[in-house]
Amino acid sequence: DINMQLLWDWIKELSKESGNSTVNEMLEGGLGDMLNVDMNEIIQSFGNEIGMIMTLDEKNKMTLPGFMFDLENDLVMPGPAIGFIVKLKDNKLMETLNSMGAEAMGMQEETIGDVKVNTMALPIPLPLDISPSFFMADDYMVLTTSYKLAKSMLKTRDGQESLVDTDEFKQLARGLDLKANGILFAGKSYHRFGMALTGVMDQQVPE
């Protein structure tokens, strides 16, 4: 759960206390003028629920050059993707995103089932799948770092794929009450990913 109005007010209050006039002016109206939107209307659009998901694709690994981390060998890891889920009260935020020029940003629209998905393919080669996508499903706006994750989340919505159906989730969740306003699940692949990153970071710290 998150109260976006309280968070917005808190950010503005912190900005005032910092004494940064440029930031204050932006938060008090400059940001809305720049985006050609009423920020109060945007804040009121939020439904006070937000979530995040991170997936690790073992089939599509990413390879990072070893020299970037002072390693002899390249670093091969599961391909990560991140998704943000935000509950909305209306379509104001989605209309704003579209009015800001999804087409101008090179985004392509595709209809999957009853949902329109906007995706932007980056013109530069990257070691992992980066194809930012966003869509509105039911009362939720979803933003993902990859088109593949967007499609997977829509399949879950339609009952075709689900984390709760996996053996790993069932084993960890056995006996737990899953009705809550905050749940964190980290699978074995996430643990391995974190350990690999920790190992790399440890090598960057001078003795």
Side-chain angles (χ1 to χ4, degrees), residues 94-144:
M94 286 295 294
E95 291 173 355
T96 299
L97 288 175
N98 288 322
S99 67
M100 288 172 61
E103 293 184 3
M105 293 186 289
M107 304 199 84
Q108 297 181 343
E109 184 179 273
E110 177 184 356
T111 299
I112 301 178
D114 61 341
V115 176
K116 293 182 179 180
V117 180
N118 287 280
T119 302
M120 178 172 60
L122 300 183
I124 55 176
L126 295 170
L128 69 160
D129 176 18
I130 298 292
S131 47
S133 304
F134 71 88
F135 60 87
M136 184 81 177
D138 302 319
D139 295 330
Y140 294 88
M141 181 183 70
V142 180
L143 301 96
T144 66

Side-chain angles (χ1 to χ4, degrees), residues 172-193:
L172 290 175
R174 185 180 298 131
L176 296 179
D177 184 0
L178 299 181
K179 293 183 179 180
N181 61 357
I183 294 177
L184 171 65
F185 171 80
K188 293 180 180 178
S189 58
Y190 181 83
H191 176 71
R192 291 194 297 268
F193 182 81

Side-chain angles (χ1 to χ4, degrees), residues 60-62 79-81 122 126-132 145-149:
N60 296 295
K61 297 181 181 294
M62 67 174 181
L122 300 183
L126 295 170
L128 69 160
D129 176 18
I130 298 292
S131 47
T145 59
S146 78
Y147 170 72
K148 183 177 180 180
L149 178 57

